[in-house]
Amino acid sequence: MRGCWKGLGAVVAVMVAGICMAQTVYTINTVGFVETTVGAGMTDTVSAPMTPFAIDSGTITAAAAAAITDGAKDWSAVDVGPGAEGYLAYFVEIKDGANVGRYFPILSNTADTLTVETPQDLTALGLVGAAYCIRPFLTVQELFSDAAGAPVLSGGDSPALASNVLAWNGTGYDTVYFSTFFGENIWRQAGGGPANEWPVYPDEGLLVVNRDAADAKVMSLGEVADNTKTTWAVQGLLLAGNPFPANVALDDSELMEADGGPFAGGDSPALADQVLLWNSGTSGLDTYCFSTFFGENIWRQAGGGPAGATELTAGKAFFLNNLFGDAAAWPRTIPY
């Protein structure tokens, strides 16, 4: 994942179509959309809880340190590497087994092998025999455009004059905006090149600065995700999104080590791993941690009361500050 995460409880309309659509690639999943509102003149968080449709699937027959092979495939005429702007365009998602829900961005391909971006040696994961699918990354242009293809965020001649989309890179934010400089009308990275194809990772959260006088309606379209798994290569800060079109309470988040997650509790917020939720009222972060003070073993808001029912909201995002727990995987089970 690119980096970090942030969350907020604002109005989110979750509408999942009651339509089942046959995916010839591997399964039948529910399709639909999630609409998230970023208020006029507000800073808020956004994620994309609907998953882009798979374009291919199969079974892994071999794995190397940073590559997987499907001996039954012939991708000779296929390019699932970076797109025209140089950004990663596709990822491979593991569909079953011990690593179900993990995904790896694709760097290049040969006739039967995908070279991927990975934080660890794939030969240690036991991927041979696992089912997989290949999906395109959702792009900034797709997520922040309306049905007619027009941007839902205000553009400008510079980042300071436009609404901004900020992605956490591990140490700070990368910024993209809709540039109208000399009539170019494209998404652009601040200080960089075109960014229409800027990828939004499946479990990533984004921070959005809406400088417009009107609310921005952000639509995530696709299919409902299966179980997912987010990994930390090292301890630190991540900005994540809820990958499901349903809210998930902290009690059900599977973040804690006892539930198979990476987080450790502690006697105080300073001694525990933290969930940081964006507060639109204060334009700041509220801190939550799993308190073990005097053996209580409950989620608490820093300086407040029990918070196990506090929700990670569909279509929103949140920071995870992994200070003391494992640099490991966070499994997320479908909450419905």
Side-chain angles (χ1 to χ4, degrees):
M1 200 173 108
R2 186 180 287 117
C4 206
W5 325 350
K6 224 169 198 168
L8 139 71
V11 177
V12 179
V14 179
M15 304 181 191
V16 179
I19 301 171
C20 286
M21 187 172 183
Q23 299 301 308
T24 55
V25 285
Y26 67 92
T27 189
I28 296 175
N29 275 1
T30 302
V31 302
F33 64 91
V34 174
E35 184 181 87
T36 303
T37 299
V38 181
M42 300 290 290
T43 297
D44 205 340
T45 62
V46 165
S47 65
M50 304 304 288
T51 303
F53 298 110
I55 63 166
D56 202 355
S57 67
T59 301
I60 298 171
T61 58
I68 63 172
T69 295
D70 182 347
K73 293 296 183 182
D74 182 4
W75 292 313
S76 300
V78 174
D79 181 5
V80 288
E85 294 177 351
Y87 298 110
L88 298 176
Y90 297 89
F91 62 94
V92 58
E93 177 185 338
I94 308 302
K95 299 301 296 178
D96 61 12
N99 294 283
V100 62
R102 291 197 65 172
Y103 70 90
F104 305 97
I106 299 172
L107 300 175
S108 63
N109 69 279
T110 63
D112 64 358
T113 298
L114 306 171
T115 299
V116 300
E117 183 179 83
T118 173
Q120 64 190 116
D121 188 332
L122 297 183
T123 60
L125 297 181
L127 294 176
V128 175
Y132 71 90
C133 69
I134 297 174
R135 300 184 189 273
F137 279 110
L138 182 69
T139 68
V140 162
Q141 183 180 43
E142 292 166 340
L143 183 59
F144 293 99
S145 294
D146 62 19
V152 298
L153 295 173
S154 55
D157 287 350
S158 70
L161 297 174
S163 296
N164 293 173
V165 177
L166 293 84
W168 185 255
N169 61 26
T171 58
Y173 291 103
D174 295 323
T175 300
V176 293
Y177 69 103
F178 191 77
S179 171
T180 58
F181 187 65
F182 275 86
E184 63 180 359
N185 294 320
I186 62 169
W187 289 92
R188 184 173 286 281
Q189 184 175 358
N196 288 323
E197 298 176 355
W198 180 280
V200 179
Y201 285 35
D203 51 1
E204 181 176 27
L206 300 168
L207 189 63
V208 177
V209 180
N210 181 12
R211 292 197 170 100
D212 206 346
D215 292 348
K217 303 289 186 179
V218 181
M219 191 78 71
S220 172
L221 299 160
E223 65 178 307
V224 175
D226 294 319
N227 294 343
T228 64
K229 187 174 288 187
T230 297
T231 57
W232 279 262
V234 295
Q235 289 178 336
L237 198 64
L238 295 176
L239 179 57
N242 180 352
F244 306 114
N247 299 346
V248 178
L250 287 175
D251 273 343
D252 301 320
S253 66
E254 301 173 279
L255 271 169
M256 302 309 300
E257 289 173 338
D259 299 318
F263 265 29
D267 288 348
S268 71
L271 299 174
D273 296 320
Q274 303 163 353
V275 176
L276 309 174
L277 300 185
W278 182 256
N279 186 321
S280 57
T282 63
S283 294
L285 292 166
D286 295 331
T287 301
Y288 299 82
C289 66
F290 194 80
S291 172
T292 58
F293 186 64
F294 276 88
E296 63 180 359
N297 293 318
I298 61 171
W299 283 95
R300 279 192 177 275
Q301 183 175 358
T310 298
E311 292 182 320
L312 307 178
T313 307
K316 295 297 182 178
F318 41 90
F319 274 108
L320 299 182
N321 198 10
N322 185 4
L323 299 171
F324 303 99
D326 295 333
W330 176 29
R332 289 189 266 184
T333 305
I334 300 172
Y336 33 77

